[in-house]
Amino acid sequence: MTQAQARGRQSQPEGPRRELPKKSRREGLRGIIKEEFGNPERRAAYYLVVPALLVIVLVAFYPIAYSVYLSFQRVLPNQPGEFVGVQNYVSMVADPSFREGFYNTVIFTVVSVSLEFFIGLAIALAINRAFRGRGLVRAAILVPWAFPTVISAAMWRLMFQDQVGIVNYVANTLGIISQPILTDQTLTLIAAILVDVWKTTPFMALLLLAGLQVIPGDVYEAARVDGANAVQRFLLITLPLLKPAILVALLFRTLDAYRVYDLFWVMSDRQLESLSTYVYKAVRVSQLNFPIGNAAAVFVFFSAFAIAIFFIKVLGMKTSTEG
Amino acid sequence: MSEKVMLMLKVSYNRQMSQKIKNAVIWVSVVVAALVMFFPIYWMFVTAVRPREEIFAPEVQLWPSEFVWSNFVEAWNTLPFTQWYINSFAIALIAVVITVFINLLAGYTFAKYDFPGRNVIFLLLLSTLMIPIQVYIVPEYLIVAQLGWVNTYWGVIFPRAAEAFGIFLVRQFMMSIPDELIEAARIDGASEFTIFRKVVLPLSGPVIAVLIIFTFMWRWNDFAWPIVVLQDQEAYTVPLGLNLMQGAYYTEWTYLMAMTLVSILPMLLIFIFFQRYFVQGIARTGLK
């Protein structure tokens, strides 16, 4: 894919048409920057980005750099350590609860994000049409997302509970389950996925809806005149033009799901392990496991980074204009 | 000639039929989805208005035997909810103003300026989304404690003031604003900030509405960070207060559900209010 195409796809439908002048303008601009160090545009750029950068460096990079450093040491908090190489990572992989947390997290992330994406896309397509009461439907659809996770998870736990929970009651009456849902690890994981889909599909739908809104209607009109059917219009127009929105939605939901934490804790009464609960338990609850928990945290960070790179490569987002 | 007309009529008739079927399918799926979506909220509601002893009745009842509206008042009065609402509103409103401003500036910069190190900085920014909160919560707390911000609004607001998600969202949106507009203003001698204020912001209605909705919701619902910073019960926000209602051994479900329902009202209002601008804004930009 050439650079111009990539940029066109990702900015907006009209992109490719005005690609050439834009590019040459940019190169001209870069020349100016080289000549003129005190270029006001460039100075303004720095001013504008500084507040965000300052906050983020302070609250995010210092901790992560420190964690990486510590992960190669044998330390307890507030004690000087010694360099032990990858020893912490070896112990981490050898720990069965780490592996369990890893599997649970991967299954949870893949299943819940896929379900959320497909259902969310369907909802977005449905509410993108003009129909009576659309505004109300759009507002109503976000309601599940409006609840704090700790609260909605607690509410669902009440519904899943043995004896008094309605879901458990119905599933039991229908003979779907033979034991209370929350006593079984797999069923609890399925329940957690269900709750996550219920809660965050609206978020997905909203992001995709925003993407759908910027697709110009005349593109569809032109395709219809050319004899494209509904499926073709969806696959050849909607999907490619929706790509930037899909990227944002998938990337952020995946990274969020991958760090799942409060949902698992509340739903399973701290029994169901995820990568983040593993980190939390090791780092906070038992200080002896601090080095391993810290290594796991670093692992979460870098694997999440790999996921992000994967999405960016597959969906072709460009973070640069230079290419 | 007449054959052609017949054919055209047939085509348009078929199109009408398929349109009707399509609409019916859409409506049915919307209704089913709505039922699944709203059942838990309905359940929350009936739990909130039930007589308290009915929660643990052996037979699950879909409809409460009577409506005990006083549950709401009693729940409100058992704990300092008034103070918690004041705290929540203050934090959410200040955070919205600051965060939306910072994110718009940064997102605009990443979308429309070329400067050395831009891509590296942007990637670093994105990478903050990949850190589990457990990793940075302790160092972050130490910083906030040294600034003397424990139990204050600032302690909650400041560390979340710049959000990578918002910046990313703004960047994606602003890349679609034509460069020619900005260039023209620059040629007319407008300063960089004037361009931002007079040219870019008026075109950014939808993304501002989305940012306001998201930021308000996130700050209103925030849990993991506020519970670290806000240690006195008077400083609590609403979700922390709701969490306090879930006892280790016993939870008063009617009260908890009643207060949970009340706690989402502000967000509903915000959404209903801004979703109008959301749609209008998009129409106004001429992007559609």
Side-chain angles (χ1 to χ4, degrees):
Chain A
M1 191 193 300
T2 70
Q3 182 204 347
Q5 277 171 334
R7 192 192 300 144
R9 273 161 168 239
Q10 96 129 326
S11 55
Q12 61 143 321
E14 290 156 42
R17 250 183 282 153
R18 50 151 231 267
E19 226 26 78
L20 278 176
K22 187 176 171 186
K23 192 175 174 187
S24 60
R25 188 192 67 80
R26 268 187 203 282
E27 269 160 13
L29 187 73
R30 246 192 291 158
I32 293 170
I33 285 176
K34 273 174 195 154
E35 282 169 22
E36 226 181 295
F37 192 73
N39 180 312
E41 189 182 331
R42 183 177 165 192
R43 224 182 319 147
Y46 284 119
Y47 289 150
L48 295 177
V49 85
V50 150
L53 208 62
L54 211 69
V55 173
I56 279 166
V57 166
L58 202 65
V59 300
F61 288 114
Y62 163 68
I64 200 69
Y66 192 56
S67 292
V68 173
Y69 164 75
L70 281 186
S71 73
F72 296 106
Q73 308 252 328
R74 179 182 294 130
V75 283
L76 291 174
N78 303 326
Q79 276 176 29
E82 53 174 314
F83 182 77
V84 291
V86 294
Q87 183 57 46
N88 291 327
Y89 291 95
V90 173
S91 323
M92 173 188 92
V93 175
D95 185 350
S97 28
F98 170 78
R99 290 205 298 266
E100 193 191 312
F102 179 71
Y103 294 138
N104 284 343
T105 305
V106 170
I107 293 169
F108 174 81
T109 306
V110 171
V111 177
S112 62
V113 174
S114 331
L115 285 174
E116 283 157 23
F117 174 67
F118 288 114
I119 302 172
L121 184 60
I123 293 176
L125 288 170
I127 61 179
N128 189 37
R129 299 159 159 272
F131 57 87
R132 202 178 302 184
R134 181 170 72 166
L136 191 70
V137 172
R138 282 181 179 173
I141 224 150
L142 273 178
V143 169
W145 186 55
F147 292 95
T149 304
V150 260
I151 303 304
S152 60
M155 188 259 304
W156 277 91
R157 207 173 110 208
L158 176 71
M159 291 173 59
F160 279 121
Q161 231 156 33
D162 189 22
Q163 291 175 343
V164 298
I166 183 155
V167 176
N168 202 77
Y169 179 80
V170 171
N172 213 357
T173 315
L174 294 176
I176 300 172
I177 54 166
S178 55
Q179 56 185 345
I181 293 170
L182 295 179
T183 57
D184 183 85
Q185 189 92 336
T186 316
L187 287 177
T188 311
L189 184 60
I190 294 173
I193 290 172
L194 203 86
V195 176
D196 196 62
V197 169
W198 175 79
K199 185 179 156 57
T200 43
T201 301
F203 173 72
M204 195 71 114
L206 183 73
L207 283 179
L208 295 175
L209 176 67
L212 284 174
Q213 297 260 324
V214 296
I215 300 178
D218 45 357
V219 179
Y220 289 103
E221 215 41 64
R224 199 171 288 144
V225 170
D226 290 346
N229 63 32
V231 177
Q232 285 171 326
R233 286 200 302 269
F234 176 73
L235 289 178
L236 299 175
I237 300 175
T238 309
L239 274 188
L241 292 181
L242 199 57
K243 236 175 169 186
I246 292 177
L247 173 73
V248 179
L250 279 184
L251 182 64
F252 287 95
R253 272 309 303 148
T254 306
L255 293 180
D256 233 24
Y258 191 67
R259 295 180 301 170
V260 62
Y261 159 68
D262 35 10
L263 178 62
F264 275 27
W265 265 42
V266 178
M267 283 289 290
S268 71
D269 209 8
R270 309 190 173 192
Q271 296 307 306
L272 195 62
E273 198 83 75
S274 78
L275 282 176
S276 289
T277 63
Y278 179 81
V279 170
Y280 187 86
K281 281 181 191 166
V283 173
R284 302 280 171 274
V285 182
S286 75
Q287 302 249 304
L288 281 176
N289 280 332
F290 180 85
I292 298 175
N294 183 55
V298 174
F299 171 80
V300 172
F301 174 71
F302 283 105
S303 50
F305 204 83
I307 294 173
I309 301 277
F310 169 79
F311 272 119
I312 289 168
K313 283 264 182 272
V314 168
L315 287 170
M317 181 193 73
K318 269 172 17 103
T319 54
S320 75
T321 50
E322 283 137 58
Chain B
M1 181 65 193
S2 68
E3 248 175 45
K4 216 172 183 180
V5 171
M6 282 299 287
L7 191 70
M8 275 166 70
L9 281 176
K10 212 171 148 191
V11 166
S12 87
Y13 176 75
N14 280 346
R15 184 172 289 171
Q16 267 177 16
M17 269 315 281
S18 72
Q19 194 59 40
K20 265 188 186 154
I21 294 171
K22 220 194 281 172
N23 282 344
V25 169
I26 286 168
W27 264 107
V28 169
S29 27
V30 165
V31 169
V32 171
L35 280 180
V36 175
M37 252 172 161
F38 288 107
F39 182 76
I41 295 156
Y42 164 76
W43 197 245
M44 203 176 246
F45 172 73
V46 291
T47 306
V49 296
R50 268 177 213 284
R52 280 158 59 187
E53 58 283 355
E54 208 176 290
I55 302 289
F56 294 107
E59 281 286 294
V60 178
Q61 298 294 335
L62 270 180
W63 190 251
S65 62
E66 58 173 313
F67 287 85
V68 189
W69 297 106
S70 59
N71 282 343
F72 284 86
V73 182
E74 281 170 29
W76 184 282
N77 289 333
T78 48
L79 288 163
F81 270 101
T82 314
Q83 181 62 45
W84 294 342
Y85 271 85
I86 294 173
N87 296 341
S88 272
F89 270 114
I91 288 173
L93 293 179
I94 300 170
V96 163
V97 173
I98 296 176
T99 308
V100 169
F101 182 66
I102 290 184
N103 286 354
L104 284 170
L105 287 181
Y108 171 57
T109 309
F110 284 116
K112 290 296 175 196
Y113 287 93
D114 230 337
F115 57 97
R118 173 173 86 163
N119 303 326
V120 177
I121 295 173
F122 189 66
L123 268 182
L124 285 177
L125 206 75
L126 277 188
S127 70
T128 60
L129 289 165
M130 299 152 204
I131 311 170
I133 186 167
Q134 297 78 28
V135 177
Y136 56 80
I137 217 160
V138 168
E140 203 169 53
Y141 174 75
L142 293 177
I143 296 171
V144 166
Q146 267 164 15
L147 291 168
W149 284 351
V150 176
N151 281 322
T152 65
Y153 295 160
W154 280 119
V156 179
I157 296 166
F158 184 77
R160 299 285 177 275
E163 196 114 46
F165 178 82
I167 295 172
F168 190 81
L169 207 70
V170 174
R171 171 185 178 270
Q172 294 294 91
F173 180 89
M174 288 192 175
M175 284 174 73
S176 65
I177 293 176
D179 285 343
E180 289 80 0
L181 282 179
I182 297 168
E183 209 53 44
R186 204 166 275 148
I187 290 166
D188 289 348
S191 77
E192 292 301 320
F193 194 71
T194 309
I195 295 174
F196 176 72
R197 213 162 45 90
K198 294 265 172 73
V199 179
V200 176
L201 279 193
L203 290 174
S204 307
V207 84
I208 295 174
V210 173
L211 272 184
I212 290 174
I213 295 173
F214 283 2
T215 311
F216 188 86
M217 286 206 176
W218 275 322
R219 290 299 81 81
W220 187 263
N221 284 344
D222 233 358
F223 184 78
W225 175 241
I227 203 161
V228 174
V229 181
L230 306 175
Q231 296 164 351
D232 293 345
Q233 274 190 27
E234 292 100 78
Y236 270 17
T237 55
V238 175
L240 304 190
L242 291 174
N243 186 59
L244 198 69
M245 295 175 84
Q246 296 183 54
Y249 303 102
Y250 182 69
T251 302
E252 194 71 77
W253 286 102
T254 47
Y255 288 178
L256 178 61
M257 291 302 138
M259 286 298 98
T260 303
L261 282 175
V262 175
S263 79
I264 67 160
L265 290 181
M267 277 177 302
L268 290 189
L269 290 180
I270 289 266
F271 188 72
I272 290 170
F273 184 72
F274 280 105
Q275 88 93 25
R276 206 162 27 131
Y277 288 88
F278 189 62
V279 179
Q280 277 179 354
I282 289 166
R284 248 206 327 264
T285 57
L287 285 171
K288 209 172 170 182

